[in-house]
């Protein structure tokens, strides 16, 4: 008997990294749910699209997880690629910049992980993966709010991993440096 394909949610599926993660999972035969704040479908085959979700809102995350479980009966993995990037000197960055970096980078991760835990715990398996960033380990000048929010993601992932140890759930973060995207090529042509 052939096992059922894994069910993975890619949050931020419309973004550069999210689209790449969706494509890789679909190529491996997974059932993929793409979630994003944008309503438009990104045009990938083999995925269910859930648009219009502000994943910094805990209730939106709960609704998204409920829709996935209703459709597929389970969630095997969350790839949390939602995030934001902005720079400003730590002493000069507006409080709103700090709030926005924490909302986009930390709170989306917290809300998604919390929402996915009940069905994953019930199944006794699952993977929670967040995207942190290299500046979360060592903040360069001008990256205060961004680096602090990504460091908070790392500490959150560590806390979830410690708290879920022995329950069959994996919790990890990936820490990319500069990614090769059209936006980065335009901003850093050399």
């Amino acid at each position: 008997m052939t096992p059922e394909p894994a069910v993975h949610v890619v949050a931020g599926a419309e973004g550069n990294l999210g689209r790449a993660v969706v494509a890789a999972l679909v190529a491996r035969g997974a059932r993929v749910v793409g979630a994003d704040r944008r309503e438009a479908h990104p045009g990938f085959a083999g995925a269910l699209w859930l648009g219009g979700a502000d994943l910094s809102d805990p209730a939106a995350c709960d609704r998204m997880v409920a829709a996935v479980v209703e459709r597929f009966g389970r969630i095997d993995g969350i790839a949390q690629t939602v995030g934001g990037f902005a720079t400003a000197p730590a002493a000069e960055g507006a409080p709103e910049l700090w709030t926005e970096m924490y909302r986009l980078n930390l709170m989306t991760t917290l809300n998604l992980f919390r929402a996915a835990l009940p069905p994953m715990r019930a199944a006794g398996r699952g993977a929670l993966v967040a995207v942190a960033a290299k500046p979360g380990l060592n903040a360069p000048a001008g990256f205060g709010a961004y680096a602090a929010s990504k460091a908070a993601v790392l500490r959150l992932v560590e806390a979830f991993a410690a708290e879920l140890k022995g329950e069959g759930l994996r919790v990890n973060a990936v820490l990319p440096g500069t990614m090769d995207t059209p936006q980065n090529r335009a901003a850093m042509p050399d």
Side-chain angles (χ1 to χ4, degrees), residues 20 22-23 27 30-31 39 45 54 59-60 67-68 77 88 94 97 109 125 132 136 140 148 152 161 166:
V22 167
R31 289 188 246 169
E39 292 284 349
D54 175 2
V68 173
L97 172 68
T109 304
R125 68 179 187 284

Side-chain angles (χ1 to χ4, degrees), residues 50 52-55 57-70 115:
L50 294 174
D54 175 2
L55 300 178
D57 174 9
C61 292
D62 291 342
R63 287 190 300 273
M64 186 261 310
V65 165
V68 173
V69 172
E70 182 178 333

